[in-house]
Amino acid sequence: MDKAMGRRRVILVAAGAVLILGSAAWFIVWLLTDTVSHRLDIPDYTVSYMAVEGSEPWKPGQEEGQGFARAAENDRFRLSVHPDNGQMKVMDKKQGVKWSSNPSPEQVKTEKVAGTLRTNMESPFILEYFEQSKIQRQVMNGLDPSVKRTITKLEQGVAVHYDIAKVNLSFSMYYVLTDDGLEVSIPAKSIKESGPYRILSIESLPFFGAATGEESGYLFVPDGPGGLIHFPLQKELVGKGYNQEVYGPEITNRISDSDNSNEVVMPVFGMKKGDQAFLAVISAGEKSSIIRALPAGIVSSLNSVHAKFVYRQEYDRRLSLGGRSIRVFQEDPLLQDRTVRYLFLEKEDAGYVGMAKRYRQYLTDTGQVPQGPQPSVGGLVPLDLTLIGGDSNDYGDYRYERATTFKQAEEIVTELKKAGIDSMRITYKGWESKGTINPDKRFSPESKLGGGKGLRAFVEKAHGLGYEVDLAVDLVKANPTFSKLPPKSYGIRGVEEDVLLRNDQYYLNPGITYNLAMDMIRDAKEYGIDGMRFSGLGGLLFNDYNPAYNYTREDTAYLYENIQKRAQEVLGHSSVLTGNLYSLKYTGEIHTLISDPSYSYAVDETVPFYPIVLHGSIPYSLTPGNMRDEDGREFLKAIEYGAIPSFVLTYESSRSLMDTFTWGIFSSKFVDWKDDVIREYKSFNKLASVQGEPITDHYRRSEGIYVTVYGNGVSVTVDYNRKEFHVGKEGDGA
């Protein structure tokens, strides 16, 4: 009996060993062959931190009046600091203009507010914090009696260190002069939390340059393409001002601190006062920041605009399966350096056009946008044409419904060539097997369109006509009903580490998106594809709280940028939707650039700030011609903003897409829109001479009449009253 049992043990051990070895072998093979993994062929994103400086105590220099003393000086600017409260001023020596961190004591005395609201006006910061045992926001500022200030010297400025004894919190604010202004930073390594209190947010210089309600000027906010809040007030005050998260709300916290859903695509803000202005660029920590603009009457009699740095997200914690929840805060902070760079402008540059031009210079100097100009075929304005192949229906069998086969696409582009459209970039959408629900997100042309052979033939035809072909792909979102990528393994997770599901979709971990994109780009090259249009990469950032990865919004942006970079290197072209600033470095074109305002009650006027920044470096289209709500007005806006013509078409009637996952295409049949495409192409090509030229000016000549001026002196006058436009030379009286 003992011998038999011994033999069984030997057999079981041997079998177990074989099983283990077999599993290990299978795992090794899987590691070597599975490309849909979290393994990356690029280094992880690394966070670099500012050094904590300022060990030598600051010795106040020459008295500057009202208790301020000189702290630093360069050829153009002088920095003064008040040693008793940490307030600062910057003097533009060339213009004799001072920009102050806070209103003067005389201005504060006239305010009707009291308590914290009043002392906020006198503080260089507003701190929002909470006690761990209580879910309650609390506010404090630099004038609290428990605050101890230590000021030390920096090479071109000072560091003001704040110790807040009663809550055991501390951090530093650095003020450093630059050649064109001032940098204000909160180094991550200067932040200390001990005891039960934690930092939620810090509002940096909330009243910098604040203007009275009687002064003339406006606040600039990145609302849509750009928004102005005029002062004195031009309309009845409604709401709580402008409060928007840069690059949109964080989707993983289930709540938003924004007052609406319109995305902020640029981390900038500014102010114009008389013939002086500043543009503020959030140059570090922008992906977890909020831009706040407060017209006079919201919290004081002053107009102000500033950055709010978020260190912890607020979210709803579920308490039961029935949906009951409580509001809580994250435990771990997002420790990143935070910096705002203030650039000062004067005279004719003191306005939104000057701000946009200065921002364009800043972005090209720092390598965040291409230098330009962008080449065009024969000096022509290119047509941005999207063809929809089809999609799966969403009412039961999920059968693929055709809208444009590859052969039909050949007919469309051939007819457009014969009609005189010589410059065109074609983007094919819904080309994948099963369309936009493409279960495994692989390169697999839909057989009902003609399969791989049909796609290859179409690309060859388009190339023969002088056109380029891109493929539209969505590698950011997936549908759990169809996807072969299990959400638990490949989906991002919310703060409580559960897979985030929204609108019957989940969001792919950025590392998975990266690897899927690498495969897609490689395979597209074999078919002669010229580029990729990436849905999501240019308009959506999020964290992933999966503890195995813990991707931040910075990590996500880094991976998305590298996808675009690879597409440009391998295929030659990468394009995005929306066009958040972080996506511009490797973007060859932006589709449907945001051109509408958020309709925030605070914003008085919409201006083409972003088009001024982009024109001559990156081409962009607005709403496609067959998808406009107000055709005539939106066509003229595209002309005014220097956009390229755009259409989304199908060979069959748009009814073929009615019950599919591609929704919102109400009229797209090529034969119905052919004449409109040709007419608009010819109209836009009246602007051919300004392709590649920067916008140098934009203004309203009179009610309903706007003028855009380009670097070569050509001006485009758009008359919304007569529904026409004119191209000429600036000052020709058109």
Side-chain angles (χ1 to χ4, degrees):
M1 179 69 70
D2 290 338
K3 290 182 178 180
M5 290 183 64
R7 284 195 296 270
R8 286 195 201 98
R9 288 195 189 99
V10 171
I11 293 171
L12 287 172
V13 169
V18 170
L19 181 62
I20 292 170
L21 290 172
S23 298
W26 176 88
F27 183 67
I28 291 171
V29 170
W30 178 83
L31 281 175
L32 294 174
T33 59
D34 177 50
T35 56
V36 187
S37 72
H38 292 274
R39 292 175 296 109
L40 303 174
D41 61 4
I42 56 173
D44 291 338
Y45 176 76
T46 55
V47 180
S48 59
Y49 295 104
M50 297 174 61
V52 177
E53 301 180 76
S55 58
E56 180 183 345
W58 172 58
K59 297 178 181 179
Q62 180 180 336
E63 289 286 333
E64 298 285 349
Q66 295 184 325
F68 287 84
R70 190 169 302 183
E73 190 167 7
N74 61 21
D75 291 342
R76 182 174 173 184
F77 300 103
R78 183 164 63 243
L79 173 68
S80 303
V81 175
H82 198 303
D84 295 336
N85 56 27
Q87 293 182 4
M88 46 75 62
K89 292 183 179 181
V90 178
M91 164 71 86
D92 185 335
K93 298 189 294 185
K94 179 182 176 182
Q95 299 299 316
V97 175
K98 287 183 180 179
W99 292 92
S100 302
S101 62
N102 302 87
S104 68
E106 291 75 22
Q107 287 177 307
V108 174
K109 286 180 182 178
T110 64
E111 292 295 322
K112 297 180 181 179
V113 296
T116 303
L117 289 177
R118 186 184 185 94
T119 55
N120 281 348
M121 299 176 63
E122 303 173 89
S123 174
F125 69 87
I126 299 173
L127 171 68
E128 199 173 35
Y129 66 100
F130 71 102
E131 188 176 356
Q132 287 179 297
S133 61
K134 301 176 182 178
I135 311 301
Q136 180 180 357
R137 293 175 180 267
Q138 300 185 65
V139 175
M140 180 183 292
N141 60 50
L143 271 70
D144 189 277
S146 71
V147 174
K148 178 184 176 182
R149 283 170 294 276
T150 304
I151 305 179
T152 53
K153 184 175 176 54
L154 301 176
E155 184 175 350
Q156 278 295 317
V158 296
V160 183
H161 186 73
Y162 295 95
D163 281 298
I164 310 171
K166 74 178 183 181
V167 291
N168 294 314
L169 300 173
S170 62
F171 65 93
S172 296
M173 294 185 71
Y174 288 8
Y175 303 113
V176 177
L177 289 180
T178 64
D179 291 340
D180 48 11
L182 171 75
E183 275 193 351
V184 181
S185 301
I186 301 176
K189 289 189 174 182
S190 75
I191 296 176
K192 298 291 185 291
E193 300 173 325
S194 56
Y197 296 97
R198 298 291 182 264
I199 295 174
L200 277 173
S201 67
I202 299 176
E203 297 183 47
S204 170
L205 301 187
F207 288 91
F208 183 82
T212 67
E214 291 73 38
E215 293 182 84
S216 176
Y218 50 74
L219 307 176
F220 163 73
V221 292
D223 184 74
L228 307 180
I229 303 172
H230 290 278
F231 49 84
L233 289 175
Q234 296 187 350
K235 61 184 181 183
E236 183 179 353
L237 193 62
V238 179
K240 299 179 181 180
Y242 187 83
N243 192 63
Q244 288 283 4
E245 295 164 83
V246 176
Y247 304 141
E250 174 53 42
I251 62 175
T252 57
N253 66 6
R254 295 191 178 90
I255 60 174
S256 171
D257 198 28
S258 296
D259 50 20
N260 57 65
S261 60
N262 198 311
E263 191 169 314
V264 170
V265 298
M266 306 165 281
V268 291
F269 57 90
M271 178 186 293
K272 171 182 170 62
K273 290 199 299 184
D275 63 352
Q276 300 293 320
F278 72 77
L279 174 71
V281 181
I282 309 177
S283 57
E286 72 280 6
K287 297 178 184 70
S288 52
S289 299
I290 293 171
I291 293 173
R292 299 197 69 197
L294 302 172
I298 298 291
V299 298
S300 71
S301 66
L302 301 174
N303 299 277
S304 62
V305 60
H306 65 278
K308 177 178 180 178
F309 299 130
V310 178
Y311 290 92
R312 283 179 171 87
Q313 290 284 343
E314 182 179 4
Y315 69 100
D316 290 331
R317 171 172 290 168
R318 290 195 308 271
L319 299 179
S320 68
L321 294 176
R324 184 168 172 263
S325 64
I326 60 172
R327 188 66 53 87
V328 295
F329 305 114
Q330 281 179 262
E331 174 57 30
D332 296 327
L334 181 60
L335 285 181
Q336 298 175 338
D337 294 332
R338 311 300 178 107
T339 299
V340 180
R341 184 168 185 172
Y342 291 87
L343 309 172
F344 299 108
L345 306 165
E346 57 184 295
K347 297 180 180 177
E348 64 272 8
D349 288 328
Y352 68 87
V353 174
M355 293 179 193
K357 290 161 63 176
R358 184 63 187 86
Y359 191 39
R360 180 174 64 211
Q361 179 185 336
Y362 169 81
L363 293 176
T364 54
D365 289 347
T366 54
Q368 296 181 65
V369 298
Q371 289 285 342
Q374 291 290 317
S376 58
V377 178
L380 297 172
V381 176
L383 172 65
D384 171 13
L385 176 65
T386 298
L387 296 176
I388 300 179
D391 211 344
S392 295
N393 67 55
D394 63 350
Y395 55 78
D397 58 4
Y398 308 114
R399 184 179 64 253
Y400 186 91
E401 304 289 351
R402 293 180 301 184
T404 311
T405 66
F406 297 131
K407 196 66 179 177
Q408 291 168 338
E410 289 185 39
E411 294 181 35
I412 291 174
V413 298
T414 300
E415 286 194 44
L416 291 177
K417 182 69 175 182
K418 290 178 180 179
I421 296 182
D422 293 319
S423 179
M424 179 165 64
R425 190 166 205 105
I426 306 156
T427 302
Y428 222 113
K429 183 179 179 181
W431 56 275
E432 315 99 310
S433 176
K434 298 295 183 181
T436 57
I437 66 172
N438 187 15
D440 56 4
K441 300 291 182 182
R442 300 289 191 178
F443 194 100
S444 51
E446 169 60 43
S447 60
K448 290 184 178 180
L449 300 180
K453 184 178 180 180
L455 174 60
R456 202 182 297 272
F458 168 69
V459 172
E460 291 176 357
K461 181 67 174 182
H463 287 172
L465 297 173
Y467 302 144
E468 293 182 300
V469 179
D470 294 352
L471 296 179
V473 294
D474 183 352
L475 302 176
V476 173
K477 292 178 288 186
N479 191 311
T481 302
F482 314 103
S483 181
K484 296 179 181 179
L485 307 173
K488 187 175 180 179
S489 300
Y490 297 146
I492 68 167
R493 301 189 186 184
V495 182
E496 296 192 281
E497 299 180 14
D498 52 340
V499 176
L500 182 72
L501 290 172
R502 284 198 169 187
N503 300 320
D504 298 324
Q505 293 181 315
Y506 67 96
Y507 297 83
L508 291 169
N509 172 281
I512 297 298
T513 292
Y514 175 86
N515 283 326
L516 289 170
M518 295 304 103
D519 289 349
M520 190 74 72
I521 292 167
R522 180 200 63 218
D523 294 342
K525 179 69 174 177
E526 298 300 314
Y527 282 78
I529 301 300
D530 301 295
M532 288 281 183
R533 181 202 293 178
F534 295 104
S535 175
L537 267 61
L540 182 65
L541 281 186
F542 44 74
N543 298 306
D544 182 3
Y545 292 99
N546 186 324
Y549 311 106
N550 277 325
Y551 282 143
T552 65
R553 286 162 70 105
E554 297 276 353
D555 294 315
T556 301
Y558 168 73
L559 289 169
Y560 287 177
E561 179 184 292
N562 275 277
I563 290 171
Q564 293 180 265
K565 180 182 178 183
R566 185 69 62 88
Q568 279 202 355
E569 290 173 345
V570 175
L571 303 177
H573 187 75
S574 167
S575 62
V576 295
L577 303 172
T578 306
N580 284 349
L581 182 78
Y582 62 79
S583 69
L584 298 189
K585 186 174 182 179
Y586 299 106
T587 291
E589 185 177 332
I590 301 172
H591 300 261
T592 58
L593 185 79
I594 288 181
S595 58
D596 293 323
S598 66
Y599 302 104
S600 166
Y601 288 116
V603 177
D604 298 307
E605 181 181 356
T606 298
V607 294
F609 180 94
Y610 207 25
I612 296 171
V613 171
L614 295 173
H615 203 279
S617 295
I618 301 174
Y620 47 88
S621 62
L622 304 189
T623 305
N626 60 306
M627 297 180 68
R628 299 173 183 142
D629 293 326
E630 299 178 80
D631 184 41
R633 185 170 186 81
E634 292 185 62
F635 163 73
L636 290 175
K637 181 183 282 189
I639 296 292
E640 179 193 349
Y641 283 17
I644 61 175
S646 173
F647 281 86
V648 175
L649 301 178
T650 54
Y651 188 88
E652 306 292 348
S653 168
S654 58
R655 291 179 182 176
S656 59
L657 298 171
M658 185 178 300
D659 295 316
T660 72
F661 288 94
T662 296
W663 54 274
I665 310 295
F666 301 111
S667 179
S668 60
K669 192 172 183 179
F670 172 65
V671 294
D672 296 337
W673 287 96
K674 176 182 175 181
D675 292 344
D676 296 84
V677 173
I678 296 167
R679 182 172 60 253
E680 285 208 9
Y681 178 77
K682 292 179 179 179
S683 294
F684 274 89
N685 265 291
K686 294 178 182 178
L687 279 65
S689 63
V690 302
Q691 288 299 295
E693 293 287 338
I695 294 175
T696 57
D697 202 4
H698 176 271
Y699 57 91
R700 182 174 64 180
R701 175 176 291 174
S702 58
E703 187 63 35
I705 301 177
Y706 294 82
V707 179
T708 306
V709 184
Y710 293 86
N712 58 0
V714 172
S715 67
V716 179
T717 303
V718 174
D719 188 335
Y720 289 94
N721 306 315
R722 296 184 176 181
K723 300 180 181 179
E724 62 186 25
F725 71 95
H726 172 80
V727 180
K729 283 289 184 179
E730 171 64 359
D732 65 0

